[in-house]
Amino acid sequence: IKFHGVDIVLDLPAHPVLVAGERDELVEVFENLIENGCKYGQDGKRVDVALSGGTGGTPVEVSVKDYGPGIPPEHVPRITERFYRVNVEASRSKKGTGLGLAIAKHILTRHKARLVVRSEVGKGTVFTVKF
């Protein structure tokens, strides 16, 4: 799958994975995370999406990893705040509103899920949703 010239590589289990929740809201979360990976990690030309768990009572996790410039550590704690932007100019040029991650976090909180962010400058970012 390609989006914004970026390859989206899926690592999905052969079996269905079910989570309780509002389908449309969860779709919005993952669309946002994948689109952000493609827009802001565009230089890396690849975004990996992995789904694990859900069998035998194991927690479900979905990770979205980009290979872009990464997020400086001082910004990571704030990126889910409304209108917060790591780089205002870059965000505007990519038509970002500064609301996507705040909305995603809000939806995940309502679903009793967590959003974990790991990033390293120059090596990309991984957003992991833990149900």
Side-chain angles (χ1 to χ4, degrees), residues 104-119:
K105 183 180 178 187
H106 176 75
I107 290 170
L108 292 172
T109 298
R110 288 184 347 107
H111 284 81
K112 308 258 189 290
R114 290 186 320 135
L115 179 63
V116 178
V117 182
R118 287 191 346 259
S119 189

Side-chain angles (χ1 to χ4, degrees), residues 10 17 22 25 54 60 78 87 92 95-96 114 118 121 124:
L10 304 176
V17 176
E22 293 291 328
E25 289 183 0
V60 173
R78 299 196 57 203
N87 180 328
R92 282 195 185 130
K95 306 215 186 316
R114 290 186 320 135
R118 287 191 346 259
V121 173

Side-chain angles (χ1 to χ4, degrees), residues 20 22 25 46 54-55 57 66 68 83 85 89 111:
E22 293 291 328
E25 289 183 0
R46 175 178 167 170
T55 56
D66 71 55
F83 305 114
R85 297 171 185 203
E89 225 172 87
H111 284 81

Side-chain angles (χ1 to χ4, degrees), residues 45-98:
K45 302 289 184 211
R46 175 178 167 170
V47 169
D48 296 335
V49 179
L51 170 63
S52 63
T55 56
T58 58
V60 173
E61 290 191 4
V62 181
S63 65
V64 178
K65 178 180 183 178
D66 71 55
Y67 297 86
I71 302 167
E74 65 272 17
H75 293 285
V76 172
R78 299 196 57 203
I79 61 172
T80 58
E81 293 177 14
R82 292 182 335 148
F83 305 114
Y84 188 81
R85 297 171 185 203
V86 172
N87 180 328
V88 174
E89 225 172 87
S91 183
R92 282 195 185 130
S93 73
K94 296 179 187 307
K95 306 215 186 316
T97 63

